[in-house]
Amino acid sequence: EDKVVQSPLSLVVHEGDTVTLNCSYEVTNFRSLLWYKQEKKAPTFLFMLTSSGIEKKSGRLSSILDKKELFSILNITATQTGDSAVYLCATPLYQGGSEKLVFGKGTKLTVNP
Amino acid sequence: SQTIHQWPATLVQPVGSPLSLECTVEGTSNPNLYWYRQAAGRGLQLLFYSVGIGQISSEVPQNLSASRPQDRQFILSSKKLLLSDSGFYLCAWSGDSGFNQPQHFGDGTRLSIL
């Protein structure tokens, strides 16, 4: 069965801490892994990873994929209260001529001042 | 640039009433369109997707239906809502130029059934 598992499910840290969020996956014909940040409304796209070992970086956020061990991590350094959100990872599953995203349940990150 | 609009933002409906949620995309043509539901404490579940006008694929059996009357319009409907239909409904789009493109989400509709 195709699935995406995220850990931890929730995390509480203080401003300035560094956090690592985990995402493991099992999917037929893997092509990419995506990270999203969801605050109160729409998930916003962060990264799409297709190749192992190549880090993607945007400001204090970075992510890397390990296709051998079937996981990805999302790192956030020097966390701020604005980083508080649910972080979702997902991988596309292709069937019937189209694709759907299979999502994990998310990691709820709370950054306290 | 591309934008996606969903409305209404929140909706409170009695059991047994009909439903119509609308989603439109601007700034792109022939997008792939998706409806997801996010229940409390659970991940996003794909309900419907569409690769073109009139082409709808359903992921899970339910009392919801979807339609795509225009290229950039996607509608989620129900004739009679159930309590279990409560949740956060998200519309998303992705480009049609091959797969492996990220999906981009609207702001969602929070639906409460009383």
Side-chain angles (χ1 to χ4, degrees):
Chain A
E1 181 188 350
D2 303 296
K3 62 180 180 181
V4 174
V5 179
Q6 291 186 246
S7 64
L9 291 181
S10 66
L11 190 56
V12 180
V13 300
H14 292 289
E15 268 192 317
D17 289 349
T18 293
V19 297
T20 298
L21 309 182
N22 303 293
C23 175
S24 64
Y25 61 89
E26 290 180 32
V27 64
T28 309
N29 297 324
F30 173 84
R31 295 197 187 197
S32 62
L33 188 132
L34 297 91
W35 283 98
Y36 289 85
K37 175 183 181 182
Q38 185 177 24
E39 295 177 83
K40 291 184 179 178
K41 294 185 177 179
T44 53
F45 171 70
L46 295 175
F47 299 112
M48 184 166 74
L49 304 157
T50 56
S51 301
S52 269
I54 299 176
E55 184 184 56
K56 291 222 172 177
K57 198 171 172 66
S58 175
R60 296 175 294 101
L61 277 67
S62 63
S63 185
I64 198 160
L65 176 68
D66 186 327
K67 290 167 76 171
K68 182 178 177 185
E69 300 297 331
L70 307 183
F71 77 91
S72 173
I73 60 172
L74 176 69
N75 278 321
I76 309 175
T77 58
T79 52
Q80 302 172 358
T81 54
D83 295 327
S84 296
V86 175
Y87 291 84
L88 299 165
C89 74
T91 185
L93 183 64
Y94 301 92
Q95 58 188 32
S98 187
E99 72 167 51
K100 68 174 183 178
L101 286 178
V102 178
F103 282 87
K105 293 185 178 180
T107 294
K108 183 179 180 181
L109 174 65
T110 303
V111 181
N112 290 323
Chain B
S1 64
Q2 301 90 354
T3 55
I4 179 168
H5 303 279
Q6 259 188 268
W7 65 93
T10 58
L11 191 59
V12 180
Q13 292 283 96
V15 169
S17 63
L19 173 74
S20 181
L21 303 181
E22 191 161 340
C23 170
T24 59
V25 181
E26 296 176 0
T28 187
S29 59
N30 200 33
N32 295 325
L33 295 172
Y34 309 84
W35 278 111
Y36 289 87
R37 177 170 57 206
Q38 187 175 33
R42 300 179 65 180
L44 276 77
Q45 180 188 35
L46 180 67
L47 301 175
F48 300 97
Y49 62 87
S50 171
V51 298
I53 295 174
Q55 300 178 61
I56 309 293
S57 296
S58 174
E59 279 294 303
V60 293
Q62 58 204 315
N63 71 322
L64 299 170
S65 63
S67 62
R68 185 169 177 174
Q70 299 180 43
D71 181 43
R72 289 169 289 175
Q73 184 184 30
F74 205 22
I75 297 172
L76 183 69
S77 303
S78 174
K79 292 182 179 177
K80 284 187 178 182
L81 286 166
L82 306 172
L83 280 174
S84 57
D85 291 323
S86 293
F88 189 46
Y89 288 83
L90 287 157
C91 180
W93 74 273
S94 66
D96 75 331
S97 52
F99 294 121
N100 238 18
Q101 298 186 57
Q103 293 179 17
H104 301 277
F105 290 83
D107 281 343
T109 295
R110 200 162 298 279
L111 175 64
S112 299
I113 310 299
L114 303 179

